[in-house]
Amino acid sequence: EPEVTQTPSHQVTQMGQEVILRCVPISNHLYFYWYRQILGQKVEFLVSFYNNEISEKSEIFDDQFSVERPDGSNFTLKIRSTKLEDSAMYFCASSRHKINTGELFFGEGSRLTVL
Amino acid sequence: DAKTTQPPSMDCAEGRAANLPCNHSTISGNEYVYWYRQIHSQGPQYIIHGLKNNETNEMASLIITEDRKSSTLILPHATLRDTAVYYCIVRVAARDDKIIFGKGTRLHILP
């Protein structure tokens, strides 16, 4: 069964460093998403991406964040200068349709720890 | 901005049906009801969705009341692997790009 894969599974970084989280969505999917979950809190929407551009973003997704689909298969989330409060689990998701079905397929997540 | 209300936690005996309620009294006519779950710290998993008719798939059944103000997700024969946080979400299909998660119901399946 096709799945969304994310790397790395866990990354530890120093405050102020740049981090890139990578995702390989399911191959025939059209919409891509990043969510995050701070330990013990809700899963929060960050950004959606369609047709090579950001479709929607939340207030959390400020200028420190960027997304890119550099080669038609990978979908990356970059955090320019990490802060302690960026420590969280980051989930990538993809959707086959123009989200009419509301069925998002999530990866297993990348745990980011900022020291 | 909560559109749904769910109990924070529930217990269910293994092998029994787990019935998870959700209130969405302000749902509008073009909003669907979606259910997702999150097992431990894994990525959320889509379960089922519906508009007004009851729906069933290999994972669960979704029962929506006639006035659409509430719904129940039914896991017919709960197993220990069904222990998870279950999220009830309403959204407008074909317009909303995203799924917004609330706090959900933490379901404990007891052996």
Side-chain angles (χ1 to χ4, degrees), chain A residues 1-5 25-29 96 105-106:
Chain A
E1 184 175 318
E3 58 183 21
V4 175
T5 57
I26 296 172
S27 64
N28 61 346
H29 282 194
R96 180 170 62 243
F105 292 81
F106 284 80

Side-chain angles (χ1 to χ4, degrees), chain A residues 1-112:
Chain A
E1 184 175 318
E3 58 183 21
V4 175
T5 57
Q6 292 186 240
T7 54
S9 57
H10 188 194
Q11 180 156 357
V12 180
T13 190
Q14 294 290 325
M15 190 169 57
Q17 295 296 305
E18 176 183 283
V19 161
I20 297 176
L21 305 178
R22 291 181 169 80
C23 170
V24 180
I26 296 172
S27 64
N28 61 346
H29 282 194
L30 302 175
Y31 261 94
F32 313 108
Y33 307 83
W34 283 101
Y35 284 77
R36 80 171 186 190
Q37 186 173 34
I38 296 170
L39 187 64
Q41 298 186 23
K42 298 187 299 184
V43 177
E44 300 174 291
F45 168 76
L46 292 178
V47 65
S48 59
F49 191 88
Y50 173 75
N51 202 25
N52 284 320
E53 61 183 20
I54 290 174
S55 179
E56 189 169 354
K57 59 184 180 180
S58 71
E59 292 177 353
I60 303 168
F61 194 89
D62 60 21
D63 291 344
Q64 292 285 78
F65 292 89
S66 63
V67 290
E68 194 177 36
R69 190 161 159 79
D71 56 11
S73 61
N74 290 287
F75 180 50
T76 62
L77 174 69
K78 181 192 290 186
I79 307 174
R80 202 180 329 276
S81 176
T82 51
K83 304 186 284 286
L84 294 177
E85 53 265 39
D86 293 328
S87 294
M89 184 74 94
Y90 288 81
F91 294 107
C92 174
S94 67
S95 175
R96 180 170 62 243
H97 305 293
K98 190 175 162 60
I99 206 168
N100 282 1
T101 66
E103 184 178 355
L104 274 62
F105 292 81
F106 284 80
E108 290 300 301
S110 293
R111 181 172 298 284
L112 176 64

Side-chain angles (χ1 to χ4, degrees), chain B residues 18 20 35 37 46-49 54-63 72-77 82 86:
Chain B
L20 293 100
W35 284 85
R37 73 180 182 183
Y46 165 83
I47 301 173
I48 199 167
H49 77 283
N54 298 337
E55 302 287 344
T56 296
N57 63 20
E58 65 279 3
M59 289 183 68
S61 294
L62 173 60
I63 308 299
T72 301
L73 179 75
I74 301 172
L75 308 178
H77 304 286
D82 293 320
Y86 287 77

Side-chain angles (χ1 to χ4, degrees), chain B residues 8-55:
Chain B
S9 67
M10 291 181 61
D11 292 338
C12 178
E14 188 178 18
R16 304 297 294 268
N19 296 278
L20 293 100
C22 179
N23 285 321
H24 32 79
S25 58
T26 60
I27 193 170
S28 56
N30 59 350
E31 287 185 312
Y32 286 69
V33 179
Y34 290 80
W35 284 85
Y36 276 74
R37 73 180 182 183
Q38 185 178 26
I39 297 173
H40 193 44
S41 295
Q42 297 178 21
Q45 178 188 23
Y46 165 83
I47 301 173
I48 199 167
H49 77 283
L51 183 62
K52 52 185 176 182
N53 297 323
N54 298 337
E55 302 287 344

